[in-house]
Amino acid sequence: MKLYLPLLFLCFIGLGGCVQHNAETGMPIQDKGDRALQSAKIHTELAAEYFYRGQLDVAIEEINEALKAQSNYAPAYSVLGLINMTLNENSKALENFERAIRMAPRNPEINNNYGWFLCQRFSQRMDDAINHFMVAARDPLHSTPEMSYTNAGVCETKRQKYIEAQLFFQNALSIQPNYSPAIIGLIDIDFERGNLTEARSKLSQFLQNYAPTAESLLVGIKIERALDNQLAVDSYIYQLQKHFPESKEAVAIREGKIR
């Protein structure tokens, strides 16, 4: 399941900041603190964009600029944590996520990202990961709670708690009925439980109604391998490499990490 960074900065867009009016011209003068906040916000947004593109060096430069502007800007530390995670710098990632959480303990995007990091890199802290997802999902200001419920479902599937995972995926679909990661999550539960025919049928129905995703194609590969259908496996691999060559799923297939 891809990690998606959901509109990380929405909760800050509404900040108009303090303004003063020049007594001579009547023109507004931004307060210095507000200018610093806006600079940190812009540089962090740029860092997130470069992060999505895989330009990590440039993303780090933008984060450094953001923190120069405002050293206590929590979203910047969250994005830096994601960059560290991608670089397998787990200690640095943990430090930056924890710093972000201390600064903004209720921020849904930060909680979502921190939960994903814990789920992927610290299996012994899975309960903490789920708790962070729930803080995010239950925040009325969170723009994509279905994402946090789905991430929780993925992590519960990872530790084979399928009933809990199913409930999380269903919660996501109750919010966004066409949310494909949650649909794929339910199919993956069938696969993990050994219900291969049912998983194949549900995946076929999904692909008839939705555009394929890297996650759905990977699930197809796993299902067809388990059913010993090499032609179907090859077809899914071809589609994955053609349409999503830079995805972590495609990379895992090329490196032989998916059996």
Side-chain angles (χ1 to χ4, degrees):
M1 184 73 64
K2 279 185 182 179
L3 174 61
Y4 172 63
L5 188 63
L7 297 177
L8 183 60
F9 315 103
L10 272 183
C11 55
F12 294 92
I13 289 174
L15 293 177
C18 300
V19 297
Q20 297 175 329
H21 288 272
N22 187 300
E24 295 180 357
T25 65
M27 297 297 291
I29 302 175
Q30 272 195 317
D31 178 80
K32 182 178 179 181
D34 183 60
R35 290 199 304 271
L37 173 62
Q38 293 302 320
S39 179
K41 173 181 174 291
I42 290 168
H43 283 294
T44 305
E45 289 175 341
L46 287 171
E49 183 63 29
Y50 285 119
F51 170 74
Y52 293 144
R53 296 177 183 177
Q55 297 175 258
L56 301 185
D57 291 343
V58 185
I60 291 172
E61 290 176 6
E62 292 294 341
I63 286 296
N64 288 336
E65 291 299 317
L67 293 175
K68 283 181 185 177
Q70 188 165 84
S71 62
N72 63 345
Y73 189 60
Y77 289 105
S78 180
V79 174
L80 184 54
L82 290 172
I83 295 170
N84 295 144
M85 179 181 175
T86 302
L87 294 172
N88 292 315
E89 299 172 343
N90 291 336
S91 296
K92 290 182 180 180
L94 184 62
E95 178 182 347
N96 284 311
F97 279 125
E98 289 182 341
R99 185 177 297 179
I101 284 289
R102 286 196 300 271
M103 293 176 178
R106 306 303 299 178
N107 181 292
E109 287 79 20
I110 293 173
N111 274 280
N112 181 75
N113 295 339
Y114 187 30
W116 185 253
F117 169 70
L118 293 176
C119 165
Q120 295 299 309
R121 301 299 168 85
F122 290 89
S123 58
Q124 71 275 21
R125 295 188 61 182
M126 197 72 80
D127 286 340
D128 289 340
I130 299 299
N131 288 337
H132 284 293
F133 289 136
M134 292 304 97
V135 171
R138 293 167 181 165
D139 189 319
L141 298 179
H142 191 13
S143 59
T144 53
E146 67 275 8
M147 183 180 305
S148 296
Y149 279 123
T150 298
N151 284 343
V154 169
C155 294
E156 292 290 32
T157 300
K158 185 176 179 180
R159 61 176 176 176
Q160 299 181 339
K161 297 183 71 171
Y162 300 127
I163 294 176
E164 291 85 349
Q166 188 172 24
L167 289 173
F168 283 134
F169 291 134
Q170 289 170 346
N171 282 338
L173 292 171
S174 71
I175 297 168
Q176 179 58 262
N178 297 324
Y179 191 58
S180 61
I183 299 172
I184 295 302
L186 290 172
I187 296 171
D188 194 42
I189 289 176
D190 284 326
F191 168 77
E192 293 292 341
R193 283 176 158 172
N195 301 326
L196 301 181
T197 302
E198 186 171 357
R200 173 195 264 175
S201 175
K202 288 180 179 178
L203 181 61
S204 177
Q205 184 176 7
F206 173 86
L207 293 173
Q208 289 174 12
N209 293 288
Y210 303 95
T213 64
E215 294 89 352
S216 66
L217 295 172
L218 180 61
V219 170
I221 292 168
K222 294 192 296 183
I223 292 170
E224 297 302 335
R225 276 184 175 168
L227 291 168
D228 198 26
N229 187 347
Q230 190 59 43
L231 284 176
V233 170
D234 292 342
S235 174
Y236 281 128
I237 290 176
Y238 173 78
Q239 294 178 65
L240 179 62
Q241 301 297 344
K242 178 181 179 181
H243 298 295
F244 308 99
E246 303 304 320
S247 67
K248 64 181 179 62
E249 291 82 4
V251 172
I253 290 294
R254 289 197 296 270
E255 295 179 352
K257 294 180 179 178
I258 306 296
R259 299 295 181 185

